[in-house]
């Protein structure tokens, strides 16, 4: 099956302003729009890839034109807010982010932060949760509870957290995957999904030894996980399910020989554990961290890239032909 010929980019729109570093995106249907004609998109706005002034931008985008119809800025003085992620618990849209504060003694303090909205227009005050130093990566809701994998670089493993990002999240299963347990180092960012039967799947980034991403599965109560090495690197992974056994996966690809970076889209067959590249987005340099939304045959994809003017910008693309992949 020649999957590369199946998809077509219909439109790409830059949704971030010029002259700032705009990166680390996520995308979600606007749950408060009864007409289903808008999206919520979030990203980090700062002066650089790593700087102390990172703020969260939350946009409302019109689906048809990708124009910005509402913009909210969330910031914390002296704190870098990184990698905002969107989720919906059935009543509230929630954004989580990793907050890094440098004190007067140049010591770093890190915690998770959340805000929520019941309208998509205005957002709550900031709430701090999680354990110091542990980065809980895009929690997902199932049965009125959120689960999310967290990593802490010195630990060299990931733990599964559960709870409510607007209240508290605690360790559900420690050391699910890591160097000592699996002989594979520095697991970190993840794309966690739950199907209608409660089965969990996860695509996991790694940044050590072979740098190969992992695919994991589990069933309730999510204390026992099975892992498969995917054989390639995927940075900032994001995934959506097409069927119970097929997925779209997006993230950063690295050509290790040339050190060239791009944002790509893969088709994943869960039955035979194969990843097939289907699309490379216009991208290079500082790039990746996509968000994915499927609307019938149309895929909306947010991501960032510095391919045009060497400045990180946020883009949203419309991609047609997804039904041909089912």
């Amino acid at each position: 099956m020649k999957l590369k010929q199946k998809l077509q980019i219909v439109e790409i729109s830059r949704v971030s302003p010029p002259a700032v570093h705009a990166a680390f995106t996520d995308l979600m249907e606007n749950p408060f729009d009864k007409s289903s004609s808008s999206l919520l998109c979030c990203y980090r706005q700062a002066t650089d890839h790593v700087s102390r002034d990172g703020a969260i931008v939350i946009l409302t985008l019109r689906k048809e034109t990708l124009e910005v119809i509402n913009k909210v800025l969330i910031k914390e003085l002296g704190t870098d807010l990184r990698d905002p992620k969107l989720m919906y618990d059935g009543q509230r849209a929630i954004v989580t982010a990793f907050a890094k504060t440098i004190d007067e003694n140049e010591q770093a303090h890190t915690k998770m932060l959340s805000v929520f909205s019941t309208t998509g227009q205005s957002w709550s005050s900031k709430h701090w949760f999680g354990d110091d130093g542990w980065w809980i990566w895009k929690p997902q809701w199932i049965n009125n509870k959120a689960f999310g994998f967290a990593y802490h670089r010195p630990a060299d493993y990931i733990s599964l957290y559960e709870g409510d990002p607007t209240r508290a999240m605690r360790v559900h299963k420690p050391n699910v995957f890591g160097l000592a347990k699996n002989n594979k180092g520095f697991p970190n960012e993840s794309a966690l999904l739950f199907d209608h039967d409660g089965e969990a799947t996860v695509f996991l980034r790694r940044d050590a030894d072979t740098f190969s991403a992992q695919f994991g599965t589990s069933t309730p109560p999510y204390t026992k996980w099975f892992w498969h090495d995917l054989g390639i690197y995927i940075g900032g992974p994001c995934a959506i399910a097409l069927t119970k056994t097929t997925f779209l996966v997006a993230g950063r690809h690295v050509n290790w020989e040339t050190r060239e970076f791009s944002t790509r889209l893969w088709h994943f067959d869960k039955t035979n554990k194969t990843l097939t590249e289907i699309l490379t987005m216009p991208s290079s340099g500082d790039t990746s961290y996509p968000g994915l939304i499927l609307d019938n045959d149309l895929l909306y994809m947010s991501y960032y890239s510095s391919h045009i003017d060497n400045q990180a910008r946020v883009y949203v693309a419309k991609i047609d032909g997804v039904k041909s992949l089912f």
Side-chain angles (χ1 to χ4, degrees):
M1 182 168 56
K2 296 182 179 180
L3 293 178
K4 285 189 177 182
Q5 301 176 4
K6 299 290 187 178
L7 299 184
Q8 180 180 0
I9 298 175
V10 177
E11 178 184 358
I12 297 180
S13 178
R14 192 184 77 183
V15 298
S16 64
V20 294
H21 187 277
F24 314 122
T25 82
D26 200 14
L27 194 65
M28 184 176 74
E29 287 270 5
N30 184 356
F32 312 110
D33 181 357
K34 294 182 179 180
S35 67
S36 298
S37 61
S38 61
L39 302 169
L40 296 179
C41 177
C42 66
Y43 62 90
R44 172 184 177 266
Q45 175 181 293
T47 56
D48 206 345
H49 190 103
V50 179
S51 56
R52 299 183 184 186
D53 59 348
I56 298 170
V57 178
I58 306 172
L59 303 177
T60 305
L61 304 174
R62 200 179 306 279
K63 273 186 181 179
E64 185 177 356
T65 61
L66 298 180
E67 67 177 308
V68 177
I69 54 180
N70 189 60
K71 179 178 179 179
V72 176
L73 183 68
I74 296 170
K75 56 186 178 180
E76 179 76 7
L77 186 64
T79 300
D80 181 14
L81 302 181
R82 304 187 62 82
D83 293 277
K85 300 298 180 187
L86 285 157
M87 65 209 72
Y88 183 61
D89 69 354
Q91 295 181 316
R92 306 168 300 170
I94 301 170
V95 172
T96 62
F98 190 67
K100 183 177 182 180
T101 304
I102 307 296
D103 65 21
E104 62 275 9
N105 297 317
E106 294 298 310
Q107 296 296 310
H109 304 273
T110 54
K111 198 86 170 177
M112 294 299 299
L113 176 145
S114 69
V115 294
F116 69 88
S117 176
T118 56
T119 64
Q121 301 292 310
S122 60
W123 294 77
S124 71
S125 58
K126 295 181 283 290
H127 173 73
W128 308 85
F129 69 99
D131 295 319
D132 291 346
W134 285 87
W135 197 323
I136 307 175
W137 198 263
K138 193 172 181 176
Q140 295 292 315
W141 287 88
I142 182 170
N143 297 329
N144 300 313
K145 186 183 293 186
F147 288 88
F149 280 108
Y151 72 94
H152 179 45
R153 182 63 181 98
D156 221 347
Y157 62 76
I158 57 169
S159 292
L160 185 63
Y161 278 64
E162 53 108 356
D164 181 342
T166 67
R167 296 187 179 186
M169 293 192 73
R170 299 179 177 86
V171 176
H172 175 76
K173 175 68 175 179
N175 195 8
V176 177
F177 183 97
L179 179 61
K181 188 174 184 178
N182 306 89
N183 199 32
K184 297 179 187 294
F186 196 16
N188 49 87
E189 303 160 356
S190 58
L192 176 64
L193 303 171
F194 295 97
D195 67 17
H196 293 299
D197 298 320
E199 183 174 354
T201 58
V202 63
F203 297 87
L204 176 64
R205 170 182 174 175
R206 288 196 315 112
D207 286 85
D209 45 81
T210 64
F211 283 71
S212 56
Q214 306 295 303
F215 174 71
T217 59
S218 184
T219 55
Y222 313 116
T223 54
K224 188 175 183 179
W225 289 78
F226 301 92
W227 297 95
H228 175 81
D229 193 300
L230 295 175
I232 69 167
Y233 175 80
I234 304 175
C238 180
I240 57 172
L242 299 177
T243 68
K244 190 173 178 63
T245 58
T246 59
F247 300 80
L248 286 179
V249 183
R252 177 188 294 140
H253 176 269
V254 180
N255 183 322
W256 295 107
E257 292 183 359
T258 62
R259 295 289 174 173
E260 293 178 325
F261 297 77
S262 60
T263 293
R264 296 191 180 184
L265 195 64
W266 293 269
H267 178 275
F268 180 71
D269 187 324
K270 181 180 176 181
T271 303
N272 56 28
K273 308 294 191 299
T274 56
L275 272 173
T276 304
E277 180 195 334
I278 50 178
L279 193 62
T280 298
M281 303 303 293
S283 57
S284 65
D286 194 1
T287 185
S288 182
Y289 292 79
L292 299 172
I293 291 295
L294 186 59
D295 185 5
N296 294 314
D297 198 31
L298 201 61
L299 179 72
Y300 290 87
M301 179 176 178
S302 64
Y303 70 105
Y304 82 94
S305 176
S306 54
H307 64 288
I308 291 182
D309 55 6
N310 292 320
Q311 298 293 321
R313 308 283 188 242
V314 173
Y315 300 89
V316 176
K318 293 182 183 180
I319 302 168
D320 201 8
V322 180
K323 286 185 177 179
S324 64
L325 303 175
F326 282 62

